[in-house]
């Protein structure tokens, strides 16, 4: 039965940036007293008449990401028959007409205008007030779509090719993530031949230093133990403060100087960002020894075709510098297999680089053509079946490497700082509480405790075993651990 309650649902696909933007947008609705549901719609979800607005934050990094976005949209249309489906994110920026054709209950807010979501809660609240008549509950879906289009979506764009008010979506209250995030940069000025993200998110923009500092301090004061620093290309961070220029390294230094205890985790880096000066700053114990490098290939020929600004030796040097700076850091990377022109020799050059750098994890995926990119017109296409086989070989190596990395930590009996994330199982009668935690070097652990613990607290752990079967299957946890200091 439909009631006069109102729920807003968010479904988020893709990168960490999308995750924090959805969390921040959801907070604006929370402040207006709406009930929020964060993700999780499935084919078995019940039909729900109380949800009046679904917001889908899409990804367009691959064809599969776009396909998943369309599947989620169709599912929301079915499960929430009264809801307006607002689609935003990268896919919405690149293919709005294709999305609008799916159903008349869909509205599209271009990804570069995503910050305008912050205006919707008050608009919706006023609209609902006007449509409530005593005990009657009236909801005119099409009237609200028209209002959205007139008041928010179709308003003039401030600056073409740049994300509008990119850092408006920020929060200290995270509904579906145990660790806080701060977005400091958006967009990208590179023109990698395979990528549409610089088109979808626009040119590089950076948050001003003063705002970044105030938000980090606010996160620490709110009790967060760790914050993930996010951006499309963090190495392109550029701002000024008190008349001085700030790059990403100097911003991290400012974060450390203006906070006391909060830890910082860096989301992703390009290899050329890892300089000697950068390493001096991240040597601080409050910078987590966990690094994810955007590598894509170990073949210099393929890197050149990709229009990347580094070669394989830059990648190897970056890993060496990070290991000299941090004690046994977790270093991961992205790899694309089957890029046009990739020969057997090019692929084995990538495998050799993975082994040389001893990456603790590799996210490997087959090349996916993106409309409008130079790679679409390149010759010597690699069959998808072969691209998939190559990605599978790398993924097997990644599993082997991760198990070996965790086992090395078990054998060394090293004490690892960790954030205690969530209570997964509770059996008070048997005195058994199962928690999940994430170490500073990004090992997802299962912990058994005889007493109830405070979630999101900072603890010290000792790994006691890896969980190979869960790692192979991509499970939620990768190791078992003991708490040493609670």
């Amino acid at each position: 039965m439909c009631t006069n309650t109102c729920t807003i649902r968010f479904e988020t696909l893709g990168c960490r940036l999308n995750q924090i933007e959805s969390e921040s947008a959801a907070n604006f609705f929370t402040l207006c007293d709406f009930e929020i549901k964060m993700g999780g719609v499935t084919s078995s979800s019940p039909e729900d008449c109380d949800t009046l607005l679904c917001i889908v934050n899409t990804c367009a990094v691959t064809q599969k990401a776009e396909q998943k976005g369309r599947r989620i949209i169709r599912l929301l249309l079915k499960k929430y028959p009264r809801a307006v489906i607002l689609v935003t994110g990268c896919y919405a920026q690149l293919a709005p007409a294709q999305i609008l054709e799916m159903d008349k209950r869909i509205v599209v807010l271009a990804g570069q205008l995503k910050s305008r979501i912050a205006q919707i809660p008050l608009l919706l609240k006023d609209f609902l007030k006007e449509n409530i008549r005593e005990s009657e509950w009236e909801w005119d879906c099409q009237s609200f779509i028209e209002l959205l289009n007139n008041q928010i979506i179709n308003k003039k764009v401030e600056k073409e090719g740049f994300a509008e008010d990119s850092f408006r979506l920020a929060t200290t209250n995270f509904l579906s993530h145990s660790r806080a995030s701060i977005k400091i940069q958006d967009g990208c000025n590179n023109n990698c031949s395979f990528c549409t993200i610089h088109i979808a998110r626009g040119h590089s923009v950076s948050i001003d230093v003063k705002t970044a500092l105030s938000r980090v301090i606010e996160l620490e004061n709110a009790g967060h133990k760790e914050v993930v620093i996010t951006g499309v290309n963090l190495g392109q961070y550029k701002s000024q403060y008190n008349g001085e220029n700030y790059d990403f390294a100097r911003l991290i230094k400012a974060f450390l100087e203006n906070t006391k205890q909060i830890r910082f985790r860096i989301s992703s880096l390009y290899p050329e960002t890892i300089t000697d000066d950068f390493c001096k700053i991240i040597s601080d114990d409050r910078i987590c020894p966990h690094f994810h490098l955007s590598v894509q290939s170990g073949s210099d020929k393929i890197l050149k075709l990709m229009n990347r600004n580094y070669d394989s030796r830059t990648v190897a040097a970056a890993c060496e510098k990070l290991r000299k700076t941090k004690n046994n850091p977790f270093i991961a990377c992205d790899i694309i297999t089957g890029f046009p022109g990739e020969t057997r020799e090019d692929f084995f050059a990538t495998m050799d680089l993975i082994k040389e750098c001893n990456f603790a994890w590799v996210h490997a995926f087959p090349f996916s053509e993106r409309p409008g990119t130079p790679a679409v017109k390149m010759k010597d296409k690699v069959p998808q079946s072969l691209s998939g086989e190559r990605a599978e070989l790398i993924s097997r190596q990644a599993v082997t490497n991760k198990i070996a990395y965790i086992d090395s930590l078990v054998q060394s009996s090293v004490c690892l700082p960790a954030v205690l994330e969530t209570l997964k199982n509770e059996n008070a009668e048997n005195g058994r509480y199962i928690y999940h935690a994430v170490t500073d070097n990004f090992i997802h652990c299962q912990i058994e405790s005889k007493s109830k613990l405070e979630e999101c607290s900072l603890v010290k752990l000792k790994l006691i075993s890896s969980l190979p079967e869960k790692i192979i299957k991509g499970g939620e946890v990768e190791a078992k651990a003991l708490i040493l200091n609670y």
Side-chain angles (χ1 to χ4, degrees):
M1 178 181 293
C2 297
T3 68
N4 60 353
T5 59
C6 181
T7 302
I8 312 299
R9 174 172 288 277
F10 282 80
E11 294 286 340
T12 305
L13 297 88
C15 65
R16 184 83 190 190
L17 269 188
N18 271 7
Q19 300 292 330
I20 183 177
E21 288 163 350
S22 290
E23 288 270 19
S24 302
N27 190 55
F28 281 93
F29 284 93
T30 300
L31 294 174
C32 284
D33 300 319
F34 289 104
E35 182 181 353
I36 305 299
K37 299 291 184 182
M38 299 296 287
V41 66
T42 66
S43 57
S44 60
S45 297
E47 186 175 295
D48 177 4
C49 291
D50 295 336
T51 298
L52 301 185
L53 177 63
C54 299
I55 298 175
V56 189
N57 197 354
T58 61
C59 175
V61 69
T62 63
Q63 292 177 10
K64 285 187 177 180
E66 292 183 357
Q67 291 168 2
K68 185 175 181 181
R70 290 193 295 272
R71 181 178 63 80
I72 291 292
I73 292 167
R74 285 192 290 266
L75 197 55
L76 293 173
L77 287 166
K78 179 180 178 180
K79 298 296 183 179
Y80 306 101
R82 302 177 75 205
V84 172
I85 313 299
L86 186 148
V87 183
T88 189
C90 290
Y91 183 34
Q93 180 72 35
L94 297 174
Q98 184 182 43
I99 297 169
L100 285 170
E101 287 175 355
M102 294 177 67
D103 196 271
K104 65 180 182 179
R105 283 195 286 130
I106 295 173
V107 289
V108 173
L109 179 63
Q112 291 179 24
L113 305 179
K114 193 183 298 184
S115 63
R116 295 185 185 183
I117 293 176
Q119 304 171 36
I120 296 177
L122 286 176
L123 190 73
L124 177 58
K125 195 169 187 178
D126 290 342
F127 181 83
L128 293 175
K129 284 181 181 179
E130 293 176 4
N131 285 272
I132 293 176
R133 302 288 188 273
E134 297 179 354
S135 61
E136 296 181 2
W137 177 246
E138 299 178 8
W139 170 246
D140 187 338
C141 176
Q142 292 304 315
S143 291
F144 185 62
I145 287 175
E146 184 178 352
L147 186 65
L148 276 175
N149 283 325
N150 292 337
Q151 297 295 319
I152 293 176
I153 292 173
N154 294 334
K155 290 288 185 180
K156 184 179 179 181
V157 176
E158 292 180 2
K159 192 175 181 181
E160 292 286 351
F162 289 83
E164 182 181 279
D165 203 3
S166 186
F167 306 101
R168 183 177 186 182
L169 298 180
T171 183
T172 59
N173 180 36
F174 296 85
L175 299 175
S176 61
H177 291 83
S178 301
R179 284 169 288 128
S181 295
I182 179 172
K183 173 183 169 184
I184 67 158
Q185 186 273 340
D186 200 354
C188 185
N189 292 336
N190 290 354
N191 291 288
C192 297
S193 61
F194 59 87
C195 185
T196 58
I197 302 305
H198 66 284
I199 303 171
R201 284 192 170 266
H203 298 290
S204 179
V205 291
S206 302
I207 195 171
D208 66 274
V209 177
K210 185 177 180 180
T211 301
L213 287 176
S214 67
R215 289 183 180 178
V216 164
I217 292 169
E218 187 178 4
L219 287 169
E220 183 171 58
N221 291 340
H224 292 284
K225 307 302 181 184
E226 180 181 308
V227 58
V228 183
I229 305 172
T230 65
V232 173
N233 188 337
L234 294 174
Q236 291 182 0
Y237 179 85
K238 186 178 181 181
S239 187
Q240 286 192 330
Y241 187 52
N242 292 333
E244 297 184 6
N245 294 325
Y246 276 69
D247 60 7
F248 179 48
R250 191 167 184 187
L251 181 67
I252 294 176
K253 184 178 181 182
F255 283 169
L256 292 167
E257 291 173 344
N258 287 274
T259 56
K260 297 176 182 178
Q261 294 181 325
I262 195 167
R263 301 178 64 84
F264 297 95
R265 188 181 299 277
I266 300 169
S267 60
S268 182
L269 293 168
Y270 280 53
E272 66 268 30
T273 308
I274 315 300
T275 63
D276 291 337
D277 288 341
F278 176 81
C279 287
K280 287 178 184 177
I281 292 169
I282 66 166
S283 64
D284 190 285
D285 288 341
R286 287 199 284 138
I287 303 297
C288 293
H290 162 231
F291 305 97
H292 189 99
L293 302 183
S294 181
V295 173
Q296 311 309 355
S297 178
S299 163
D300 290 341
K301 183 194 83 177
I302 297 298
L303 288 171
K304 188 173 182 180
L305 287 172
M306 289 178 167
N307 200 27
R308 305 293 279 186
N309 296 324
Y310 55 86
D311 59 18
S312 60
R313 292 305 88 201
T314 307
V315 176
C319 293
E320 184 178 358
K321 287 177 181 179
L322 290 172
R323 289 195 170 94
K324 288 181 178 178
T325 303
K326 295 289 191 180
N327 181 27
N328 195 17
F330 186 107
I331 305 177
C333 74
D334 291 322
I335 294 292
I336 297 173
T337 59
F339 189 80
E342 183 186 72
T343 63
R344 185 173 181 273
E345 289 72 26
D346 294 318
F347 172 69
F348 281 110
T350 298
M351 289 293 288
D352 289 342
L353 184 66
I354 290 169
K355 293 173 183 177
E356 177 187 353
C357 294
N358 195 24
F359 290 112
W361 182 250
V362 183
H363 177 211
F365 52 98
F367 169 70
S368 177
E369 280 194 352
R370 304 283 70 217
T373 62
V376 172
K377 299 179 181 179
M378 289 182 178
K379 299 178 180 180
D380 300 323
K381 306 291 187 184
V382 178
Q384 278 292 308
S385 58
L386 183 55
S387 297
E389 289 175 8
R390 290 174 177 176
E392 177 62 25
L393 284 172
I394 291 176
S395 296
R396 290 177 191 170
Q397 183 66 49
V399 166
T400 299
N401 286 10
K402 179 175 279 189
I403 294 171
Y405 179 78
I406 295 174
D407 286 345
S408 72
L409 296 171
V410 171
Q411 293 166 11
S412 66
S413 299
V414 65
C415 178
L416 298 172
V419 175
L420 194 66
E421 292 205 328
T422 50
L423 175 62
K424 289 295 181 180
N425 188 26
E426 178 178 347
N427 192 332
E429 293 181 0
N430 295 333
R432 189 170 181 264
Y433 299 86
I434 305 297
Y435 287 89
H436 285 183
V438 177
T439 65
D440 62 345
N441 54 354
F442 208 58
I443 305 301
H444 293 69
C445 303
Q446 178 178 297
I447 302 159
E448 184 173 328
S449 172
K450 293 182 179 179
S451 59
K452 205 162 188 177
L453 308 176
E454 181 183 355
E455 293 183 29
C456 299
S457 59
L458 192 63
V459 297
K460 294 289 182 68
L461 303 180
K462 175 186 175 183
L463 301 188
I464 55 176
S465 69
S466 61
L467 297 172
E469 289 186 4
K470 291 186 179 294
I471 294 172
I472 292 169
K473 294 179 181 179
E476 192 174 4
V477 294
E478 304 160 323
K480 288 186 178 181
L482 295 174
I483 292 184
L484 299 179
N485 70 327
Y486 205 89

